[in-house]
Structure formats: C-alpha cells, structure tokens
Amino acid sequence: MTFLLDDEQREFGRTLDRMLGAADIAGAVRAWAVDDTGPGRKVWQRLADLGVFALAVPEEHAGSGFLPVELAVAFVELGRHGMPGPVVETVAAAALLRRLGDPAPSARWLPGIAAGSHLVSYADTYGETDGTDGADGTAGTDGTGEGGHPGGDADAGGGRGPYALDAHSADTTFVVAGDRLLRATGHGPVQPSLDPARRLARPAYGGEVLASGPAVRAASRHAVDVAAFLTAAQALGAGRRLLADTVAYVRQRKQFGVAVGSFQAVRHRLADVLVALEFAQPLVFGAAVALATAETDGQRGGVVAAEGAGRAAAVRREVAAAKVAAGEAAYGAARAALQLHGAIGYTDELDLSLWIRKARALRTAWGTPSECRARVLDGQDIFYQ
C-alpha cells in the first residue's frame, strides 16, 4: 500500500515545526525539570491554538474529531523538538473519555483539553506488570527507567502501571483501576527519572469515581493503544532529531585533518540509524491508518461484535509493531549520537542530552520492547493479562 500525507497534513507539520523551532523548547524542558512549568505551559497553549489537542476531541466538545494521522504528524514534531509535559497522557485521556460515551465527564473535561487549559495525567493499573523486559535481560527500572516498580529512577510506562507522569503538575490525574475510572485526589512522593522532564508520582487511589463497568475497561484498552501509538510517533521524531544533530556534528568535527563524518565506520553507523528510522516511519503511519479505519467502521456501525473484536486486536498489533520499531530506532539513534559526539555527548550542558534521555525513556513508555514483540508475534495481549 502506498501512503502519502496530503498537502494540508504536510503544511500542518511544517507549521508546528516552525512554531516549536522558534520557541526555546530546551529551556522549557530544563525549567520543567525543576518544577517551573510556566514556559512549557505557554508552548502548550500555542499547540492548542494550532488545534493539536482538538485532534482527539469530538466536534461536540470543541474538537476536530479523532484524527490519528494528524496526531501522528503532530507528535513526530513534538518528539523532534522535545516538548515536555504529559502530552501523550492528555490525548490518551481524551481518547478514554471519548470512547467511554458518558456525556457527563466528557462535557466536564474535553473542552478544556481541546482549548489547552487542562493538562491531564493518566495512569492505567489494569494489567500491571513488574516491568521486566525479559528478552534483553534488563529490567524496566534500569536507570532511564520506564516500566518498573518504585525505587530509584522508576517510571512505570509514562503513566501505565503504578505511576503517573507529571501528576504533581497536571491539572487532573485520571486513574483506571480494573473497571473503574477515578479522578485521583493527590499523589505520593515525586520520583526522578533519568529524563529530567519526566517526573513521576504514584496517584492517590480512592478518589472521585467518574465511571464504572465494562465500558471503562474497553475504553481503557483503546486509551492505552492511543498512548502507545503517540509514544511511537514521539520516538520517531526524537530519533530524527538525534540523527540530524549528529550528522551536522560529524561534518564539522575534524580528526587527522578531515571531518570524522568522512570515515567509513561513522558513515555506516549513521546509515544504520537512518534505515531503522525509515523502516519505523511507515509502521507509525500504518498504525495511524489502522486506528482511523477502526474509528470509521465503529461510527458506521457495520461491524459485528466478533469482527469488531478481531479488528481491535489487529489494531493493537499494528500499534505494538510501530511502538517497538520506533522505540528501538530512536534508542539506536541516541546511542549513536552519544558515541559519535565523543566526550561532549555526556555533558548535561549540551542540549543533545535532553533528546538522548528522552529516547531511552520513550523506548519503554507505554509498552516495553518485549511486551510489544509478544503482541506482534504471538498475539498475546499481555498488557491485560
């Protein structure tokens, strides 16, 4: 299948690129890491003014409907520029409320999400795992830490599991516990992550019950799929930024009187990164098309229950494939960037470090590589076992 963005979608991406490029995102990230969310919220509002958050909100709540392809375009740019804050979790929460079909919570929060006045964190404890990433012998709490239990630099999947991303700075934190949707009334101690802009806290359970029953569980699965998909798009953008910065650096850094980028080993390393990113991109946009197609079929009401369940499982596999491909490609880009920049790549003062840390965090946020591979290869829905 041939897939190309149309002119309007490409212009949307270019507009976001120009706006984010003109903003001091690196400064906003560093401020966010020390709990100064002011600069980040200003950029957040500008994103909302451009319609980014409305892309997941129904038209009756001042949104544009659910437009996964446009969301992919937007989140690639957010990853490319390193936007801080719970952008994934806010859109996933909007997807949860939209799929829930309950007018009361939708009317209460969706207009504010679309307008950019409401930052939302989201934690899904259904199907909680211990964060072990089995296949590569590492645990989810390995230091950059997404996907693990509390302790040190722990981050439970950017919101999935016992922690919620930026719960201390969000306006609202939603928690799905089994078949109940809760609004958390507080949170525990804020935990650090090696990505300085990803601060984590365990939500205080037992808050206001917004909904309960099987509809919550179904909506939660959809929200987790959306979160994994958007994280994949973010990772793709972060990987492309790391590659571009590294290519620029090796062109101007000289050794033995020539640019190190002329060395065959360096060129082959960067070519491998490019190939991985190029292979991940169609998977990310393929997942967007799968989500959009499933949404259209659901609106038409022409899919019987068994076929609908099969379509949902197929969409989850598409999302998982995109997530593992983009996450691994971005992580490979981060490793190459670190090594090819030499000693300077280790310094906090270099903005490159912000993307290196983010790429590692996104790799396991909302689904570790082994979880996603199991879903793709074996059809195992291990997020919900």
Side-chain angles (χ1 to χ4, degrees):
M1 179 183 71
T2 300
F3 173 81
L4 294 173
L5 296 174
D6 62 31
D7 291 340
E8 187 175 347
Q9 290 163 339
R10 287 194 291 270
E11 182 57 31
F12 179 50
R14 288 192 290 266
T15 299
L16 288 172
D17 182 35
R18 288 193 296 267
M19 186 276 285
L20 292 168
D24 180 16
I25 300 297
V29 170
R30 296 184 189 281
W32 198 282
V34 294
D35 294 333
D36 178 7
T37 61
R41 280 184 176 261
K42 288 180 181 178
V43 180
W44 188 290
Q45 187 58 59
R46 295 178 68 184
L47 290 170
D49 293 342
L50 289 173
V52 170
F53 301 109
L55 295 171
V57 174
E59 294 180 8
E60 59 266 29
H61 296 296
S64 305
F66 182 55
L67 301 175
V69 175
E70 285 75 6
L71 281 168
V73 172
F75 274 76
V76 167
E77 295 304 325
L78 295 181
R80 190 193 310 273
H81 292 277
M83 177 67 190
V87 286
V88 166
E89 288 70 23
T90 295
V91 174
L96 172 73
L97 294 173
R98 179 184 56 82
R99 183 59 66 93
L100 193 60
D102 187 333
S106 293
R108 186 174 173 185
W109 281 291
L110 286 178
I113 289 175
S117 60
H118 220 71
L119 278 69
V120 180
S121 187
Y122 171 50
D124 194 325
T125 64
Y126 184 47
E128 180 179 324
T129 69
D130 64 0
T132 301
D133 192 17
D136 59 6
T138 62
T141 52
D142 63 353
T144 58
E146 305 268 337
H149 279 306
D153 295 327
D155 183 340
R160 192 181 68 82
Y163 288 96
L165 176 66
D166 289 323
H168 65 298
S169 56
D171 300 306
T172 299
T173 299
F174 292 144
V175 179
V176 172
D179 60 357
R180 295 191 306 159
L181 172 61
L182 308 170
R183 183 190 184 195
T185 56
H187 58 80
V190 177
Q191 302 285 343
S193 167
L194 281 188
D195 179 353
R198 295 178 69 86
R199 308 290 298 282
L200 310 151
R202 185 188 294 274
Y205 300 130
E208 178 186 0
V209 178
L210 303 177
S212 61
V216 171
R217 186 170 297 184
S220 168
R221 290 192 177 206
H222 173 65
V224 169
D225 289 340
V226 170
F229 157 65
L230 297 177
T231 302
Q234 255 194 319
L236 178 62
R240 290 204 175 278
R241 173 61 179 265
L242 286 161
L243 176 61
D245 286 358
T246 305
V247 169
Y249 181 74
V250 299
R251 282 176 173 170
Q252 58 89 23
R253 180 189 173 197
K254 293 188 176 181
Q255 186 76 347
F256 307 113
V258 298
V260 298
S262 65
F263 299 158
Q264 189 176 53
V266 172
R267 296 169 71 178
H268 285 183
R269 182 71 184 276
L270 292 173
D272 288 342
V273 172
L274 176 61
V275 168
L277 291 168
E278 288 294 313
F279 272 96
Q281 179 167 308
L283 291 174
V284 170
F285 283 97
V289 171
L291 283 163
T293 302
E295 182 73 12
T296 300
D297 288 346
Q299 290 174 349
R300 289 174 179 169
V303 181
V304 298
E307 185 180 345
R311 172 64 61 81
V315 169
R316 284 194 288 273
R317 286 193 293 272
E318 294 263 11
V319 169
K323 175 64 176 60
V324 70
E328 296 290 60
Y331 183 48
R335 290 172 61 88
L338 180 64
Q339 293 171 0
L340 295 179
H341 274 78
I344 194 174
Y346 288 88
T347 62
D348 282 337
E349 291 78 8
L350 187 69
D351 288 344
L352 181 82
S353 65
L354 303 177
W355 277 268
I356 289 175
R357 292 177 174 185
K358 183 176 289 294
R360 179 56 184 89
L362 294 176
R363 179 178 181 248
T364 45
W366 294 101
T368 65
S370 58
E371 287 176 331
C372 293
R373 289 189 179 102
R375 175 177 287 186
V376 173
L377 296 176
D378 304 326
Q380 297 178 16
D381 202 6
I382 61 177
F383 287 173
Y384 296 99
Q385 290 180 352

